[in-house]
Amino acid sequence: MYLIGPGQQRGHVLLIAGDAAVRRGTVHLAPSANLAALAMVPASVLLGSGLPTDTVCLDGARDPNTVLARLRAAAATPGPLLLYLSGRLTADRRGRGLYLALAGTARAAVRYTALPWDWLVGELRGRPAGLTTVLLDLAADKEAWPLLQECGGLPGLPSPEVYGVVCPPGFAAGSSTVSGYTRHWIEQLRRSPSRPADVQLHALAAGAAGLPPGALVLPTARELGMRPGPQQQPQPPQQAQQPDRQGSWQEPGGPAARASDGVPGGASGGDPRPHIHALATAGRHAEAAALARAWEEHVRHAYGFSSPEAVQWAEIRADLARMAGDFLLATGLWIGACRVRLVAQGAAAPEVYAAAAGALYCWTQLRDRASAVESGAELLALLGTLPALEPRYLRLAQARLDVLRAPELPRAVPT
């Protein structure tokens, strides 16, 4: 029972940083950096509410019961609640339960030193519908990742709106700085004249974050396409409406969508990215590629060929090509995006390495020998300019290229 009357209703923002994701001495996800960046955003903007809002930042907690007490207090809030979680997901090897690792979590005692995921689900289960948003920026370790793949996502959380990403083991989500997903969420809040809806913020952040291959995105593009809200198919302005050979601006059996009033990806006129990714996940790759290409052209005209906005759309096209199985195109687009980011942001930027990882992954999927050799030489030259790249990636790529370049042995002719 809630004891606070409607006239005294308040909002609540609870930001929780779990344990960092570290592999071979390299920080792949820094929850404390994410929390520090979010704490700089006004609570009313984070929550999207004009109500008086309480903000609690929980960083470095070592006792699961301490985190549980904060969760319980937040869940008792009768007003809107935003819960943000960042850190490393792990699993109890014996019980195969999912946990958020805390600062003092020991692998041999996960059940006693980490926050059980079931506790989180249980505390939020009784919340009124429509008043809770859960925002996640997580990385799964090798114990947790198989569980996520088995259940196809994060279990539980029945009533709140859940948005976020979970990176697979071994891939950097943001090195020792603010991760790409959280950073782009914050940037969109600061950039937009009016606060976009959470679903739009999520689509923009996930599309621009440079996520590694296989990352879990919640909700999925298909789920985004099923949600209510602005999901019409917007078009760029007139000068960018050149039909692509792979598709058309008009959906089969339906009229062409109206032009967006603002820039692509803005709140005005609807965000095209959920629609584009929904097309791709539905197998309509040609339509998705055509739309993304046209929006990229529009952004290039509006902001410049090497603008951050144009690079983001190139990366979206790269991911669409990967989804369609066109690994040659995907490799080229990731290489191009990486080069532009390298010039604009420098060799220390996590987005540069995320783009390089995307290029390397897609290149390893190439089966055509000539194409792999040609693009491999360009990829190796790029990887050689990244001083913080883990050396084994460069060695493995060079070894594969050497094998591809080696002359094929003649086959024996049967006698």
Side-chain angles (χ1 to χ4, degrees):
M1 172 182 285
Y2 297 124
L3 301 179
I4 302 177
Q8 299 171 291
Q9 194 177 55
R10 298 179 66 88
H12 195 93
V13 173
L14 177 58
L15 312 177
I16 299 177
D19 191 26
V22 181
R23 185 170 183 266
R24 296 183 179 179
T26 301
V27 177
H28 285 190
L29 178 67
S32 295
N34 288 346
L35 237 64
L38 277 171
M40 299 298 292
V41 181
S44 59
V45 177
L46 282 177
L47 192 60
S49 170
L51 290 174
T53 301
D54 302 310
T55 302
V56 175
C57 296
L58 199 58
D59 189 5
R62 305 176 71 88
D63 180 10
N65 290 294
T66 300
V67 183
L68 176 62
R70 292 294 187 182
L71 279 171
R72 190 161 291 167
T77 301
L81 167 65
L82 170 66
L83 171 62
Y84 173 83
L85 293 176
S86 183
R88 174 172 60 92
L89 285 178
T90 190
D92 170 24
R93 293 178 178 177
R94 178 177 299 177
R96 293 182 61 80
L98 198 63
Y99 292 78
L100 176 69
L102 302 179
T105 295
R107 178 170 294 183
V110 168
R111 295 170 63 189
Y112 309 103
T113 58
L115 179 74
W117 191 257
D118 288 343
W119 288 10
L120 171 69
V121 173
E123 292 303 321
L124 296 179
R125 185 172 287 127
R127 291 277 302 164
L131 288 180
T132 308
T133 300
V134 179
L135 181 60
L136 307 170
D137 197 341
L138 304 167
D141 63 18
K142 61 182 181 180
E143 282 78 29
W145 189 247
L147 295 182
L148 299 180
Q149 292 181 308
E150 285 177 15
C151 62
L154 285 166
L157 301 180
S159 59
E161 289 188 308
V162 182
Y163 302 98
V165 295
V166 184
C167 288
F171 285 98
S175 76
S176 59
T177 60
V178 181
S179 62
Y181 180 76
T182 295
R183 183 175 66 257
H184 284 289
W185 188 285
I186 295 172
E187 287 179 359
Q188 292 300 326
L189 285 174
R190 290 175 174 168
R191 182 183 304 170
S192 303
S194 59
R195 189 189 188 281
D198 288 338
V199 65
Q200 292 175 312
L201 289 170
H202 167 72
L204 291 165
L211 298 174
L216 177 64
V217 180
L218 305 168
T220 65
R222 183 181 296 275
E223 291 169 336
L224 277 177
M226 296 176 181
R227 291 198 173 189
Q231 295 165 14
Q232 66 272 24
Q233 180 179 333
Q235 291 188 17
Q238 188 66 33
Q239 68 270 21
Q241 294 183 12
Q242 295 298 323
D244 192 286
R245 291 183 180 180
Q246 297 177 330
S248 69
W249 288 109
Q250 194 166 349
E251 294 217 19
R258 299 178 61 183
S260 171
D261 297 325
V263 299
S268 175
D271 174 25
R273 300 176 204 207
H275 177 75
I276 290 173
H277 281 273
L279 287 174
T281 55
R284 296 161 66 178
H285 299 293
E287 294 171 74
L291 284 173
R293 174 69 180 177
W295 276 90
E296 181 191 35
E297 289 298 323
H298 164 63
V299 168
R300 285 178 173 179
H301 282 97
Y303 297 102
F305 195 89
S306 300
S307 65
E309 293 83 0
V311 177
Q312 290 172 10
W313 275 100
E315 292 173 341
I316 290 172
R317 290 184 58 222
D319 199 47
L320 291 172
R322 175 193 62 80
M323 295 170 68
D326 190 346
F327 293 107
L328 180 60
L329 175 60
T331 301
L333 288 170
W334 278 123
I335 290 175
C338 186
R339 290 191 184 281
V340 175
R341 286 196 180 277
L342 184 62
V343 172
Q345 299 175 257
E351 295 91 346
V352 172
Y353 290 86
L360 182 57
Y361 170 80
C362 292
W363 180 69
T364 62
Q365 305 305 304
L366 286 174
R367 296 294 175 260
D368 179 71
R369 192 185 190 94
S371 299
V373 168
E374 182 178 356
S375 56
E378 186 178 6
L379 175 62
L380 263 293
L382 173 63
L383 297 181
T385 65
L386 306 179
L389 185 73
E390 191 170 341
R392 70 184 182 94
Y393 291 131
L394 190 58
R395 291 196 301 267
L396 291 172
Q398 184 65 63
R400 181 174 191 255
L401 185 58
D402 290 343
V403 171
L404 291 169
R405 283 173 167 169
E408 293 187 78
L409 296 174
R411 297 181 180 180
V413 179
T415 58

